[in-house]
Amino acid sequence: SLLVAGVAATVAVKAVLNSVRQEAFVSGFRGAPAQCRVQVVSLKAAEGDSLPSVDVDEGKPGQTVNIADLFKGKKGVLFAVPGAFTPTCSEKHLPGYLEMSEELKAAGAEVVVCVSVNDPFVMAAWGKQKEAEGKVRMLADTKCQLTKALDMELDATEKLGSIRSKRYAMLIDDGKIIKLGMDDGAFAPAMLEALKRWSVRTSQVPLFSDGGSDASAWILRFASFLIRSQVSLAQLFGNP
């Protein structure tokens, strides 16, 4: 009878322990109540966010540029590539912004920046080869700090040997992300169209100041702006 009682007690203890384990798993870490569970929140950059205050290199190590300061009070585009001299980046992404640099300026871009997780010597050499001076600033996210702050890391270990940046582009106005484009949406034509729409929306065109006598002049100025920016009314009232 003692043996039977012992076996019964063992079975009962195992059942209790199993129940406790299940409850602990269901209720959270180490049995914490559901309301105490840790919630994972994505930090990925989003439209409406402000740029992080992160330093990147330009030209050589230690010659830094603060991204937040660079776009403070300015309108422009920041685009990132997985790697300098890599095929798509070197044949399409960067060249697109170089070819459209004048159109971007006409649409209101005061600064256009290319960022990559490379050292500044590589970025400078790439910019020199592509004749980017005066058109696109070539910035090196040497320590991957900007890429991490934006949660844009790309594990390119197999192809490039390290963590790099995803392909993206941002339309920025006074340090705030207005439009975020990923992959194909990061190329120059997409950002140019978004910039044109945003520039029209935020243009400081004076309204009728003295009883409507300026109506004709205002309409002419507005129409002229649309023509210069090559923006249609459909684009104007669409999303940036």
Side-chain angles (χ1 to χ4, degrees), residues 64-77:
T64 60
V65 175
N66 183 277
I67 288 295
D69 290 344
L70 180 60
F71 284 93
K72 186 176 182 180
K74 295 180 181 178
K75 189 184 302 178
V77 176

Side-chain angles (χ1 to χ4, degrees), residues 18-61:
N18 186 55
S19 174
V20 169
R21 287 193 191 99
Q22 289 180 346
E23 289 177 3
F25 178 78
V26 170
S27 62
F29 182 68
R30 294 188 181 277
Q35 61 267 28
C36 295
R37 294 177 190 169
V38 176
Q39 183 177 5
V40 178
V41 179
S42 174
L43 299 178
K44 189 172 182 178
E47 294 172 5
D49 289 351
S50 294
L51 287 174
S53 181
V54 176
D55 290 339
V56 292
D57 294 319
E58 184 175 30
K60 60 182 179 180

Side-chain angles (χ1 to χ4, degrees), residues 179 194 197-198 201 231-240:
K179 181 72 175 180
R197 291 194 293 269
W198 183 250
R201 287 186 178 188
V231 177
S232 67
L233 291 176
Q235 292 172 321
L236 173 58
F237 292 107
N239 292 324

Side-chain angles (χ1 to χ4, degrees), residues 104-126:
L104 288 163
K105 289 179 183 177
E110 298 169 84
V111 57
V112 179
V113 168
C114 175
V115 175
S116 181
V117 182
N118 285 107
D119 67 69
F121 296 118
V122 168
M123 290 299 286
W126 191 32

